[in-house]
Each structure stands twice: as structure tokens, then as C-alpha cells.
Amino acid sequence: MAGQTEGLLNAILEDIDAGALNPGDLLDEAGLAARHNVSRTPIREALIQLEAAGLIRRLPRKGAVLFKPTLEEFLAILEVHASLEGQAAGLAARRMTPDQARALEQAVQACEAHADKKGDGDPNGYYQLNLQFHAAVAMGAGNPFLLEMIKTNARKLMAYYRARYQYPGSIAQSAREHREIAELIFAHDRSAARAKMTEHVQFDQVTVMDLLAALG
């Protein structure tokens, strides 16, 4: 049963990462049971874990829905998330191994190639490359607890970060900033890497309001 719960939980998290589940979407227990061929028990156990992580909410007469933040919640989570991402970049500048540095360089080059070849096209494809960049930085931090905290917070905001790349010029800007962050990490400039990553992850309040409106 534990294996079924873990498998189902990972499948739901993968759907969030891929954009198949978005803020406010209903997690229908009957649908999950049919799709993943599991009983209600592992489904309920998985939902308990998702609720504890703040990724779903239970609504009266509706059931479990994917977390959809208010403006105040978005800004509060974003403040924490930007700080965590910045901390990861700072630690990566001190701890990143040569193999991890090569993985980060590959992630940056993939983002740059996408921006050069596709411009504003395929924002969803770019977002997946963006996830690889941030994962490479977080892995370089050498702190598994920090990595898990970043993943959990990122999943609360993923749909909004993905929507951000619909704006003209945002992909090119993101790729440029990825290169700047990576070069600071490679130069072992811990404070500058931390500051640049924090700035990179942050949104201004007007942009947050636009994104919340765009996703209804």
C-alpha cells in the first residue's frame, strides 16, 4: 500500500510539474482511482501528504483542489521562495562540483539555444528547460533539505511562472539572467550569485496581479 501511495503521489507531482494540473483544479478521487488503478486508501493517503505540504486544499462540497493562492498568499510564498532560491545559488557558488558545473552549463546552453532559435515561441517548452536550470543550481547547493523546500514552494507557483513566459521578451530575458547567475556561480561569487538569483525569481506586485488574473 505504501508503494501505491508513493507512486500516486509522484504521478500527481509530475502532473503539477508538467502543467497537466493547475491552480484550482479538482483532484477527483474516482478519476484518480480509475487512471492509476488504485483503491481509495492510497489516494486518501496521498492527498493527506499533499495537503500537509500545502499543495492542495479541501473545500466544502467540492473536495480536494490544487492550491490557488490569493494575492497576499502569492506574495508571501514568493518572498520565501526567492530567498530559498537565492540561498541555493549562494551555496552552489561555494560547493558545486565539476560534474554539477557541467550540468549547469548544459542547462544554461539549452535555455540560450531555445531563446535564440524559437524566440517567444514554445513557452511551455522553455519552462521545462527553466526547471532544469533551477534544479541544477539547487543540486549544486549540496543540501537535500533545501532542495525539497524549493521543490515544494515552486510547485505552488509553477503555473504562474509558466504563464510568465507568455509575455514577449520574457524568454530571452530569462536566458540572459540564467547565464549571469551561472557565471557568478562559476566565479565562486557567493553574495552576488545569491542576490542575482533572488532578483531573478522575484515578481513585482503588478506582474503578480496580472498573472493571477490570467489564470482566473
Side-chain angles (χ1 to χ4, degrees), residues 85 88-89 91-93 95-97 99-101 103-104 131-144 146-148 150-151 185 197:
E85 290 268 15
L91 289 172
R95 299 175 176 172
M96 182 168 277
T97 67
D99 285 346
Q100 290 170 338
L104 176 58
L131 289 179
Q132 293 175 24
F133 166 79
H134 285 275
V137 173
M139 287 295 292
N143 186 319
L146 178 61
L147 177 61
E148 286 306 310
I150 288 173
K151 284 182 179 179
I185 291 173
M197 178 65 92

Side-chain angles (χ1 to χ4, degrees), residues 25-43:
D25 283 356
L26 176 67
L27 292 176
D28 176 59
E29 291 191 23
L32 288 171
R35 178 183 173 189
H36 299 285
N37 193 29
V38 295
S39 68
R40 291 295 181 92
T41 299
I43 291 174

Side-chain angles (χ1 to χ4, degrees), residues 4 10 13 15 18 59 70 76 93 101 132 134 141 145-146 152 161 175 186 196 209:
Q4 287 186 328
N10 288 334
L13 294 176
D15 283 346
L59 300 181
T70 64
Q132 293 175 24
H134 285 275
F145 296 100
L146 178 61
T152 298
Y161 277 105
F186 297 151
K196 187 63 183 179
M209 293 174 68

